[in-house]
Amino acid sequence: MPVDHEERRKQIAEALLRIADTEGLQSASMRAVAAEAGVSLRLVQYYFTTKQALLLDALARLGTQLQARMDRFVRAAGTPPTPRSTVTAILTSILPTDAESRRITRTYAAYYTLVLGDPALEKQATAQPDLLEGFLARQIGAAQEAGEVAPERDPVMTAAGLLAMVNGLGSSVLSGQRTGDSALAVLSHHLDELFRGPR
């Protein structure tokens, strides 16, 4: 039976993501990843010649997992989607309120700790948040055109502020400062303020 190389790469990258979630990336040596994946160190080195290549591949897969989660939340918010339902669904999906989102948030936190001082990782780690900010800004702009958001609000600054708030709320949930429900209540409060239309 021929080897499915993409399946092998996925198996190894997901082993690294599991280590990042539970122990942090400082524990993710190539040997530890091989043990977690149940393969030889030589096989890990065959598919990923450097640890950075493995880190970048796994980070891209983590981004795909988050994107799939956001897409599910947007679809569940109803059709046709509105700017408010889309913004609400995306920001809600990011908050660590269940096992999947807690894993994703913890793993991203492990990457952010690691990227300091690594330009290649930093560039990839900030690519998805930059795209997400831009998308949210466009949704807020569309809501302004529909009269649902005050015209004086700056969509770009508002999107950046919302994402920063959700990241902060996520940290407070993971640290035990507040529950997922209370974080959702804070988010809902700010979205109600944003989407109440012109004063």
Side-chain angles (χ1 to χ4, degrees):
M1 186 175 174
V3 174
D4 184 335
H5 293 292
E6 169 52 23
E7 194 55 39
R8 278 284 198 215
R9 290 176 69 85
K10 180 181 176 185
Q11 175 188 359
I12 294 165
E14 289 187 348
L16 178 134
L17 292 176
R18 287 195 298 275
I19 294 172
D21 172 31
T22 57
E23 302 173 43
L25 282 169
Q26 67 279 2
S27 301
S29 67
M30 298 286 261
R31 191 173 299 281
V33 171
E36 176 66 27
V39 299
S40 69
L41 175 60
R42 182 171 293 183
L43 193 68
V44 173
Q45 292 168 332
Y46 170 78
Y47 284 104
F48 300 99
T49 52
T50 65
K51 183 177 177 182
Q52 187 185 64
L54 173 54
L55 288 166
L56 290 170
D57 182 271
L59 180 57
R61 292 173 194 276
L62 182 64
T64 300
Q65 292 170 15
L66 177 57
Q67 184 64 55
R69 179 179 171 86
M70 291 189 291
D71 291 345
R72 285 198 314 274
F73 273 63
V74 170
R75 284 195 305 273
T79 50
T82 64
R84 177 169 184 160
S85 72
T86 300
V87 169
T88 302
I90 286 173
L91 295 176
T92 301
S93 74
I94 295 171
L95 280 176
T97 55
D98 59 21
E100 179 188 43
S101 54
R102 283 192 293 273
R103 174 186 61 77
I104 289 172
T105 302
R106 282 192 304 262
T107 307
Y108 267 117
Y111 267 97
Y112 290 136
T113 302
L114 192 73
V115 298
L116 302 171
D118 188 327
L121 274 175
E122 184 178 353
K123 184 176 179 184
Q124 188 163 329
T126 56
Q128 189 173 30
D130 287 345
L131 287 172
L132 186 53
E133 259 185 43
F135 178 78
L136 291 173
R138 290 191 295 278
Q139 294 296 314
I140 293 164
Q144 273 182 322
E145 290 173 14
E148 297 168 5
V149 170
E152 66 270 15
R153 296 296 294 258
D154 180 331
V156 173
M157 296 296 281
T158 302
L162 285 171
L163 272 179
M165 179 184 68
V166 166
N167 287 333
L169 286 171
S171 296
S172 71
V173 171
L174 291 182
S175 70
Q177 179 191 355
R178 60 172 42 90
T179 65
D181 286 343
S182 68
L184 285 169
V186 173
L187 174 60
S188 294
H189 170 80
H190 285 278
L191 291 175
D192 286 343
E193 292 255 301
L194 174 63
F195 286 98
R196 65 183 181 187
R199 305 290 182 266

